[in-house]
Every structure is written in structure tokens, then in C-alpha cells.
């Protein structure tokens, strides 16, 4: 969602640098953007003034050449919540005197009341956003207080989960505060950065500090001070080193990040098989001692939870619940000190997950997190954490983080059953199977299928047991990037509804494992075939019912990994057939930080 980038330091033409920072945040999803810079005093004809540029749509080939030189600037990519996608609604927002510029991520729940008061005080609003309320409130508070004091007071007057960053043309400082929405400070030599996401800092520095909830940062050229927003007292902080490779933020030889990330997957699984700590004694005892266990996540991560539930049941004979983050509130009444929450998240910032997990923790539950972003909110909140190790994931549609999550869960299930090495072996076999899928002749086959079905309006994907959540994930990948309606269906449920929609040539994808569910799933495939469905098998078995066959290796429960990879590739090539951008699907965001 909204991306934040700011700079203060010794570079003197930083509007283009801030624009570059925003570009590296594009993957989060946005619909408009803006940059504000304090002009350098060195240019008397320009005066000490805030200049800004705001535009709707993607940055694309746009530039900020019209902005003057400066060494203090902020920029923002907006994902519309309050108010439509217009230039006026884009951030930064300025106060009445155009002396303060402010950017914001989150939702100000009490903005209507605040706006009423400000309007009564003759403040003039130019946008429909809740953000603009903050900058006028800051202007109001600045009349009697210093910029820092006014900022602190303003932030404390906001209700809801918010991150704000502001500059004032008269002050050589960036002020930032967070509650809920993430902010991370980057440390350079005589320069500092602030961003909503550490990936934007990677080209400049790996030395970072993740601002905690209820903290405010006073960022100057050569110093950073952190204040607790409740006590207004300074707090000590420790910097962290980002462990991502700079190259993971680059697209390299690939056309899109999504296909690059699909290609990263064998290495991710290989690394998990060899190095993952999921089988460590404290993680196993955390699970074994819990009276009830909930796997919780959102979007793709929620399907990883369902896969995990099936793996725990099948391999470790352990019953766990699986829940969607935004629906988990209702389960909180069952949570107590003996509960364990296993929270799955690529970003570690998904608010629909963080909120219920925080509440479960307050009720005494232990939190075990599988998270991809070091230092993210979930990472810091969890009692035990396992880094997914997928590296930076930029495409909105998650691929390698999903594969990473289920690789960890498979290994964990085997470790719980004291058969960790068997889990490792299966993962290494999955690596080989996926490498084969990624060979040109197999890709050609998938592209051929994509070409054939790209004009269809519905696609059904069926699976049973462990492969039902895989069918949900396959359908999600297809619909979110190719915009073809796709539905994952528990194979046995077909005849309770979806079968009514299967007609001549409807593409029906069958996830067919070679296990105790094969016969029943095949029977369901036959039912679709009898209605004219075009049956596409992703399986190690080349069965006669299939009109189109996409082979994978038979590797026990790990078969789910290559099956998912084939469906990711199909989604990707369907999207290319439709001449759409797979990395940035409409209306969607990578990191969803509002509820
Ligand atoms: C968004 C993304 C999805 C992701 C979901 C959960 O919807 O577009 O790809 O699965 O958020 O994100 P998380 O970072 O918590 O895994």
C-alpha cells in the first residue's frame, strides 16, 4: 500500500533520488504519487520554500526535473482510501502557508471531528483525504509549540493506525512517527533515509532501525533521536543490518519480478531443506506443549495455513486450526496461555494479521512467526521467529514466499514426527522437480495451454485434502493477475454447486496426487469431463481423462510444491497472453497495512 521515502543529508539534488526510492516501492501497489523538496538556500531566486510535484497513475517515465535542488525531501506513493485517485488527494499534503509538507500511511479514524474544528479555525482544505487534516492540525499546533512538540502533540491526537512523516521549510529535520504502519530509518554517512519498507533502502544502506509502535524519530543530517510518544522521553535504540542481497531487489535478465521470483524458488527450497531451524528443540517443544494451535495468515498466507493444517494432520498426526487473519477476532475468546499462534506472513506488516495476533498475545498466547522480512512488526512481536528466507519478494502476487512457507511447514511436520531427514529429502526432490518444470520444453507446454485458454471467462481448479488449499492458491494466482475468474474447489464439493457452471470447453484444472485420494479426485474429474469441461491435469499420472497434461514428479506430500509452481507459471503466461502487467495487478497491493 502507500509507500514512504524521505532523505536528509549531504546530497544536493535529491528529488530524483526520492523518485527512485518511490519507484523501488512501486511493487507495494499505488495509484498516485508525489515528491516535496525544501529548496536549498543556496539559490536565492528560489528562496527557502517547499516545492512539490504530484501526479496520478504510475511514475513510469516521469521525472522531477521541475523541482529545485535540495537536500531535504519526502515522497509518497498513494493507494487511495479516503477520496478518489486525484492529483489533489495525492501526498505530500501542505498546510495553509505551504510551510509544512506531510505524508501518511494509515487511516485517521477521527478525521471528521478534527476537520470540523480546523474548518472552524479557517483552515482551507484542498483534498478529500484524512491526511490533509493532519498537516493542518500540525500547522495549528505549531503556532504555540516548536515543530517537534507540535508533531508529537498532533500524532497523539490521531486515532487509528498511522505512520506520518513531515518536513518544515524552516527546520533542518525529518520528523516521523508510527503506530501500526511500518517505518524504517536508514543510516548513511552524513545522511539519513526513511522508508515504509526496507527494500527501498537497500541501494543506499543496510544499516537500519525499524521504528517501533508509539515511537517518534527526529532525523537530522548527522543524528537520529527516538522518542516514546507517550512519555515524550528519549529511548535508546539498536540498529540492525539488513540481510538481503542488493541483487535480490534487481530484476536481472527477467522480464518481470514475478517470473524472476518463480525462478528463485528451487534455491529457496534448497536452502530451507539444508539450513532451516524449524526442527529446533524449542520450536518443537513450543508446539508439543501447546493445548491448541492456530495457523493464521491473510491472502496467500491463509492458504499456506490450510496447507500447513493438512501437512500437520497427514505427517505428524497433529490437529491444528487454520484461520484467516481478518476472521480471527471471533476465535480470540478461545485463546489462553496454553494457546500457540503460528502466524504466517511474507511482509510481517499485514494489519489484518497483526491486530488479532497482538490481541491473542495479550491473552497470554505464545506467538511463533514465519515471516520473510527481518525486523518487520510481526518479526518483532513474535516470541519465536523463523525467517522464511525467500529473499526480497517484489511482485504483488506472492510466489516464493508461499513456497517458502509450505516448505518450512512440511519440514516442521516431519520434524514433529521425528522424521526430519525424510522431510529434507522430499524438499530436495521438489527442487529437482521444479528445475525440470522450468526447462524450456515444459514452459513451452504451459505457454501453449495459456494461449489456448486465455479467452475463457471461468477456470475451475479442483483438489482434495492437502491439494484443496493448493487449488485455492492456484485459482488466486490466476484471478489476481490475469483477471480471469478462477475458483478453487474441494473436489468433493463440485457436485454441490460449481459443477452447474461447467459447460463445453470450460477449463477445469485437476490437482491429482498419487495417493489415497487419487481415485476419488479422478471420479470428480470425470464428472467435469462428462459436462464438456476441458480437463487439465497437473499430476505425476498421465491419466486418459486429461485433455491437457502438465507433468510433475511424484514426491509424496512435497508434490504440492511443483503443483503450485506449475499453476504460478500458468497464471503468469495467461497474464502475458492478455498483455497485462503480472507484477502490478489493478486494485491490489503487496503489503496491506489498512483494515
Ligand atoms: C496481499 C498480497 C498477497 C499476500 C497477502 C498477505 O494481499 O497481495 O500476495 O499474500 O497480502 O501478505 P503477507 O505479507 O502477510 O504474507
Amino acid at each position: 500500500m502507500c509507500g514512504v521515502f524521505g532523505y536528509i543529508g549531504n546530497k544536493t539534488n535529491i528529488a530524483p533520488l526520492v523518485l527512485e526510492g518511490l519507484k523501488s516501492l512501486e511493487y507495494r501497489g499505488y495509484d498516485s504519487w508525489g515528491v516535496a523538496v525544501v529548496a536549498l538556500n543556496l539559490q536565492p531566486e528560489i528562496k527557502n520554500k517547499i516545492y512539490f510535484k504530484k501526479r496520478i497513475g504510475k511514475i513510469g517515465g516521469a521525472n522531477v526535473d521541475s523541482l529545485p535542488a535540495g537536500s531535504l525531501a519526502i515522497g509518497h506513493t498513494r493507494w487511495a482510501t479516503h477520496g478518489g485517485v486525484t492529483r489533489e488527494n495525492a501526498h505530500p499534503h501542505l498546510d495553509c502557508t505551504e510551510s509544512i509538507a506531510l505524508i501518511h500511511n494509515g487511516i485517521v479514524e477521527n478525521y471528521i471531528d478534527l476537520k470540523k474544528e480546523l474548518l472552524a479555525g479557517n483552515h482551507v482544505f484542498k483534498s478529500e483525504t484524512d491526511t490533509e487534516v493532519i498537516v493542518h492540525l500540525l500547522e495549528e499546533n505549531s503556532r504555540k509549540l516548536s515543530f517537534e512538540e507540535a508533531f508529537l502533540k498532533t500524532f497523539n491526537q490521531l486515532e487509528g493506525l498511522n505512520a506520518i512523516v513531515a518536513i518544515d521549510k524552516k527546520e533542518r529535520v525529518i520528523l516521523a512517527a508510527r503506530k501500526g504502519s511500518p517505518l524504517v530509518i536508514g543510516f548513511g554517512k552524513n545522511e539519513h533515509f526513511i522508508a515504509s519498507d526496507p527494500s527501498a533502502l537497500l541501494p543506499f544502506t543496510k544499516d537500519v532501525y525499524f521504528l517501533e509502535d508509539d515511537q517518534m524519530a527526529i532525523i537530522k543530517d548527522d543524528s537520529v533521536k527516538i522518542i516514546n510518544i507517550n512519555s515524550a522521553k528519549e529511548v535508546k535504540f539498536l540498529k540492525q543490518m539488513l540481510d538481503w542481497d542488493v541483487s535480490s531487489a534487481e530484476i536481472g535478465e527477467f522480464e518481470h519480478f514475478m517470473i524472476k521470483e518463480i525462478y528463485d524458488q528451487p534455491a529457496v527450497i534448497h536452502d530451507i531443506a539444508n539450513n532451516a531451524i524449524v526442527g529446533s528443540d524449542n520450536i518443537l517443544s513450543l508446539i508439543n506443549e501447546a493445548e491448541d494451535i492456530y495457523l493464521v495468515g491473510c491472502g496467500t498466507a491463509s492458504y499456506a495455513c490450510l496447507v500447513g493444517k493438512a501437512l500437520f494432520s497427514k505427517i505428524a498426526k497433529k490437529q491444528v486450526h487454520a484461520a484467516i487473519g481478518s476472521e480471527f477476532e471471533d476465535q480470540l475468546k478461545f485463546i489462553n496461555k496454553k494457546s500457540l499462534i503460528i502466524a504466517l506472513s511474507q511482509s510481517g506488516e499485514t494489519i489484518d494479521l497483526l491486530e488479532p495476533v497482538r490481541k491473542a498475545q495479550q491473552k497470554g498466547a505464545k506467538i511463533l512467526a514465519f515471516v520473510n522480512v527481518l525486523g518487520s512488526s510481526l518479526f518483532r512481536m513474535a516470541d519465536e521467529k523463523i525467517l522464511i528466507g525467500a529473499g526480497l519478494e517484489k511482485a504483488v502476487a506472492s510466489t516464493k514466499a508461499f513456497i517458502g512457507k509450505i516448505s518450512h511447514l512440511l519440514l516442521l511436520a516431519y520434524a514433529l514426527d521425528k522424521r526430519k531427514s525424510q522431510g529434507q529429502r522430499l524438499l530436495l526432490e521438489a527442487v529437482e522437480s521444479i528445475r525440470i518444470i522450468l526447462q524450456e520444453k515444459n514452459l513451452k507446454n504451459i505457454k501453449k495451454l495459456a494461449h489456448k485458454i486465455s479467452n475463457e471467462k471461468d477456470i475451475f481448479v479442483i483438489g482434495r485434502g492437502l491439494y484443496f488449499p493448493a487449488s485455492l492458491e492456484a485459482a488466486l494466482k490466476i484471478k489476481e493477475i490475469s483477471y480471469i475468474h478462477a475458483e478453487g474447489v474441494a473436489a468433493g464439493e463440485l457436485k454441490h454447486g460449481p459443477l452447474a457452471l461447467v459447460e463445453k470447453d470450460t477449463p477445469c484444472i485437476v490437482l491429482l496426487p498419487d495417493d489415497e485420494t487419487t481415485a476419488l479426485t479422478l471420479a470428480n474429474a470425470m464428472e467435469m469431463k462428462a459436462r464438456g469441461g476441458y480437463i487439465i491435469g497437473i499430476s505425476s499420472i498421465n491419466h486418459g481423462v486429461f485433455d491437457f497434461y502438465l507433468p510433475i514428479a511424484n514426491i509424496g506430500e512435497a508434490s504440492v510444491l511443483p503443483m503450485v509452481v506449475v499453476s504460478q507459471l500458468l497464471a503468469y503466461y495467461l497474464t502475458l497472453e492478455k498483455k497485462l502487467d503480472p507484477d502490478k495487478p489493478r486494485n491490489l497491493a503487496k503489503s496491506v497495512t489498512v483494515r
Side-chain angles (χ1 to χ4, degrees):
M1 291 197 150
C2 302
V4 164
F5 193 87
Y7 177 91
I8 182 166
N10 53 8
K11 294 191 175 68
T12 49
N13 183 21
I14 41 106
L17 178 141
V18 171
L19 192 68
E20 280 310 304
L22 293 184
K23 277 191 184 166
S24 66
L25 294 169
E26 281 191 306
Y27 74 95
R28 292 167 65 96
Y30 71 111
D31 39 47
S32 53
W33 59 274
V35 175
V37 53
V38 180
L40 272 183
N41 270 333
L42 306 177
Q43 301 161 294
E45 72 286 3
I46 299 181
K47 287 200 237 99
N48 189 14
K49 192 178 158 197
I50 293 186
Y51 287 78
F52 63 92
K53 176 167 182 170
K54 307 206 262 190
R55 290 289 180 271
I56 58 168
K58 302 288 184 222
I59 298 171
N63 62 55
V64 280
D65 296 350
S66 57
L67 296 179
S71 54
L72 171 57
I74 53 176
H76 188 265
T77 48
R78 173 174 187 252
W79 194 85
T81 55
H82 289 64
V85 182
T86 64
R87 189 175 168 274
E88 288 69 34
N89 289 342
H91 304 205
H93 288 279
L94 279 81
D95 66 321
C96 298
T97 60
E98 298 202 339
S99 156
I100 304 171
L102 181 137
I103 52 182
H104 164 227
N105 191 0
I107 291 176
V108 181
E109 285 168 11
N110 57 336
Y111 87 103
I112 293 178
D113 293 340
L114 293 171
K115 190 166 179 173
K116 263 189 216 150
E117 284 172 33
L118 290 161
L119 283 170
N122 291 327
H123 285 267
V124 180
F125 283 79
K126 292 185 177 143
S127 77
E128 306 152 284
T129 62
D130 51 343
T131 307
E132 198 184 353
V133 170
I134 314 174
V135 75
H136 289 286
L137 190 59
L138 183 52
E139 175 187 15
E140 191 64 34
N141 289 332
S142 296
R143 290 196 176 134
K144 293 199 185 113
L145 299 169
S146 70
F147 186 42
E148 283 172 27
E149 289 164 341
F151 185 89
L152 183 61
K153 180 172 177 192
T154 303
F155 193 71
N156 278 321
Q157 285 174 280
L158 308 179
E159 285 171 18
L161 300 173
N162 295 290
I164 61 172
V165 177
I167 53 175
D168 182 327
K169 69 176 188 187
K170 304 180 293 302
E171 313 277 341
R172 186 90 200 138
V173 68
I174 295 179
L175 299 181
R178 76 161 276 186
K179 187 188 205 123
S181 287
L183 284 176
V184 53
I185 300 165
F187 296 78
K189 207 166 170 230
N190 295 321
E191 60 183 2
H192 289 111
F193 305 81
I194 184 143
S196 47
D197 185 324
S199 64
L201 302 178
L202 265 187
F204 309 105
T205 178
K206 287 190 171 184
D207 226 357
V208 301
Y209 174 66
F210 292 87
L211 208 60
E212 304 264 351
D213 272 347
D214 294 325
Q215 285 187 343
M216 167 178 159
I218 302 166
I219 307 169
K220 299 192 172 167
D221 297 68
D222 51 3
S223 70
V224 171
K225 206 159 120 183
I226 305 294
I227 307 274
N228 177 299
I229 62 163
N230 301 312
S231 66
K233 296 241 163 64
E234 185 172 352
V235 289
K236 289 212 166 77
F237 66 96
L238 279 178
K239 289 191 243 170
Q240 270 185 314
M241 279 291 280
L242 291 176
D243 65 345
W244 284 334
D245 196 343
V246 184
S247 67
S248 70
E250 286 157 10
I251 199 157
E253 74 212 54
F254 294 94
E255 203 184 335
H256 299 102
F257 275 104
M258 182 174 177
I259 191 72
K260 170 192 183 281
E261 288 160 8
I262 289 174
Y263 268 85
D264 284 345
Q265 294 179 127
V268 171
I269 305 172
H270 190 272
D271 196 42
I272 292 170
N274 289 323
N275 305 317
I277 55 154
V278 282
S280 70
D281 289 346
N282 54 336
I283 304 252
L284 294 185
S285 51
L286 200 61
I287 293 175
N288 286 325
E289 282 159 23
E291 279 186 4
D292 53 349
I293 301 174
Y294 296 80
L295 280 157
V296 194
C298 301
T300 286
S302 77
Y303 298 148
C305 291
L306 288 170
V307 172
K309 176 183 159 83
L311 290 170
F312 275 39
S313 163
K314 221 171 168 215
I315 300 164
K317 315 281 173 293
K318 190 150 198 85
Q319 196 189 21
V320 299
H321 308 277
I324 298 169
S326 57
E327 293 289 326
F328 193 55
E329 297 264 337
D330 184 51
Q331 306 283 301
L332 287 170
K333 53 181 168 293
F334 305 118
I335 303 295
N336 57 46
K337 288 197 183 85
K338 298 199 169 135
S339 310
L340 172 67
I341 310 294
I342 306 182
L344 305 187
S345 176
Q346 188 286 124
S347 62
E349 300 295 352
T350 304
I351 201 76
D352 284 328
L353 175 66
L354 293 180
E355 280 298 287
V357 168
R358 188 172 284 127
K359 288 181 187 157
Q361 193 168 41
Q362 280 159 1
K363 296 190 80 180
K366 285 267 180 313
I367 313 297
L368 165 62
F370 285 85
V371 58
N372 202 35
V373 180
L374 175 87
S376 59
S377 302
L378 180 64
F379 182 88
R380 279 176 288 128
M381 185 194 293
D383 301 295
E384 291 287 343
K385 34 223 153 196
I386 292 174
L387 278 170
I388 294 168
L392 178 59
E393 189 184 68
K394 287 195 124 183
V396 166
S398 183
T399 52
K400 59 178 179 169
F402 178 79
I403 288 295
K405 285 167 197 158
I406 58 179
S407 300
H408 277 288
L409 291 169
L410 182 134
L411 202 54
L412 180 55
Y414 271 103
L416 281 166
D417 204 44
K418 303 193 172 46
R419 292 185 286 152
K420 187 176 165 197
S421 55
Q422 192 174 337
Q424 286 173 304
R425 189 174 49 73
L426 286 180
L427 288 183
L428 293 175
E429 287 179 25
V431 170
E432 280 321 303
S433 175
I434 295 169
R435 285 199 177 128
I436 293 169
I437 289 164
L438 292 173
Q439 286 170 1
E440 199 43 50
K441 77 170 188 333
N442 289 312
L443 295 182
K444 236 169 135 182
N445 207 23
I446 301 174
K447 286 180 198 168
K448 193 168 142 203
L449 175 64
H451 181 69
K452 181 171 169 50
I453 65 174
S454 64
N455 289 323
E456 297 294 335
K457 65 178 195 319
D458 302 300
I459 296 177
F460 292 93
V461 191
I462 66 163
R464 197 174 265 271
L466 171 58
Y467 305 93
F468 165 51
S471 78
L472 297 174
E473 173 58 12
L476 177 66
K477 279 303 86 98
I478 293 170
K479 75 182 119 188
E480 69 181 331
I481 59 170
S482 76
Y483 312 153
I484 299 173
H485 168 249
E487 214 176 308
V489 181
E493 282 293 293
L494 255 183
K495 52 191 169 297
H496 299 295
L499 198 54
L501 298 174
V502 175
E503 48 190 38
K504 187 164 173 342
D505 294 334
T506 305
C508 302
I509 301 173
V510 180
L511 304 183
L512 183 73
D514 190 352
D515 66 5
E516 66 287 354
T517 65
T518 309
L520 275 177
T521 308
L522 272 173
N524 302 127
M526 308 279 189
E527 286 161 7
M528 295 191 294
K529 179 119 175 162
R531 271 85 191 167
Y534 182 73
I535 312 299
I536 299 151
I538 306 182
S539 177
S540 59
I541 307 165
N542 187 359
H543 194 275
V545 70
F546 298 144
D547 297 302
F548 201 102
Y549 174 55
L550 296 166
I552 58 148
N554 178 16
I555 41 175
E557 301 86 6
S559 303
V560 71
L561 292 161
M563 270 186 198
V564 169
V565 175
V566 171
S567 64
Q568 293 168 345
L569 286 162
L570 179 59
Y572 176 75
Y573 290 120
L574 278 170
T575 309
L576 296 197
E577 280 289 331
K578 299 190 78 187
K579 311 232 172 326
L580 297 166
D581 180 353
D583 286 347
K584 298 185 205 97
R586 68 186 177 204
N587 305 339
L588 301 179
K590 180 76 184 157
S591 177
V592 180
T593 50
V594 295
R595 299 189 84 178

